Amino acid sequence: MKTWILAGTLGICALLANAQSLPDSQTVVIPGGRLQTIELPAHRHFMSAETFGQFRGAYELSNGQVLYLRNAGSLGAMMYARIDDQEEHRIIATDSNRFVALDRQLAMRIDLRDNGSVGGEVLMQVPAEKLASGDIVPAHVQSLSLASR
């Protein structure tokens, strides 16, 4: 008798758990959320030099560092980003306000607001580091918000 009750209870639990999961066609993806990883897109988003021009410049990050964006080339199609005096990274647009470095060391979302203010965030790959104590901090992705332009 106890076996039948246990089997019935487990069967009901399995049905309830299955009922809570949605098929992929009913899954909702909310755009404009926080950046989570530094990934290259399956398809690039075309951005003209004129459109990228509104993003060119310097952006102060929440940790005091500065993100610099520039473009080069006769048509301005080559876009670059760097933080402070670090190595420059070639970037591509992944959306109308998102960019990623081809070497997957940087990703950024820049929100240009109607009132002239700027928001967004930057993800940057931080290499592993050995501390004076001998401990090792593993490589990780650091998220920083844009403080101002």
Side-chain angles (χ1 to χ4, degrees):
M1 181 74 169
K2 289 181 184 177
T3 306
W4 287 103
I5 294 173
L6 180 60
T9 304
L10 289 175
I12 291 171
C13 289
L15 287 173
L16 290 174
N18 190 32
Q20 290 180 359
S21 61
L22 293 174
D24 289 339
S25 63
Q26 294 180 4
T27 302
V28 177
V29 176
I30 301 172
R34 293 184 54 88
L35 296 171
Q36 301 296 321
T37 60
I38 302 174
E39 298 293 331
L40 289 173
H43 303 284
R44 295 180 184 190
H45 176 82
F46 174 77
M47 183 172 288
S48 68
E50 182 180 345
T51 303
F52 183 71
Q54 62 187 334
F55 295 101
R56 277 192 313 253
Y59 300 86
E60 186 178 337
L61 302 175
S62 57
N63 68 351
Q65 292 180 303
V66 178
L67 169 70
Y68 297 95
L69 297 179
R70 73 173 187 91
N71 61 328
S74 58
L75 299 176
M78 306 276 264
M79 302 178 291
Y80 297 92
R82 71 177 165 85
I83 295 179
D84 287 341
D85 293 327
Q86 296 176 14
E87 177 184 344
E88 194 168 59
H89 305 272
R90 177 139 184 242
I91 60 173
I92 59 170
T94 61
D95 202 344
S96 62
N97 67 336
R98 292 176 185 253
F99 306 89
V100 66
L102 292 175
D103 61 6
R104 295 178 48 201
Q105 297 298 301
L106 288 173
M108 61 216 76
R109 185 191 83 240
I110 301 174
D111 302 323
L112 302 175
R113 300 183 183 125
D114 293 338
N115 65 3
S117 67
V118 177
E121 66 181 315
V122 173
L123 292 183
M124 67 180 187
Q125 183 69 36
V126 178
E129 178 182 10
K130 186 173 183 176
L131 303 176
S133 66
D135 293 337
I136 295 178
V137 177
H140 61 281
V141 174
Q142 180 178 6
S143 176
L144 303 165
S145 60
L146 294 179
S148 64
R149 183 173 191 181

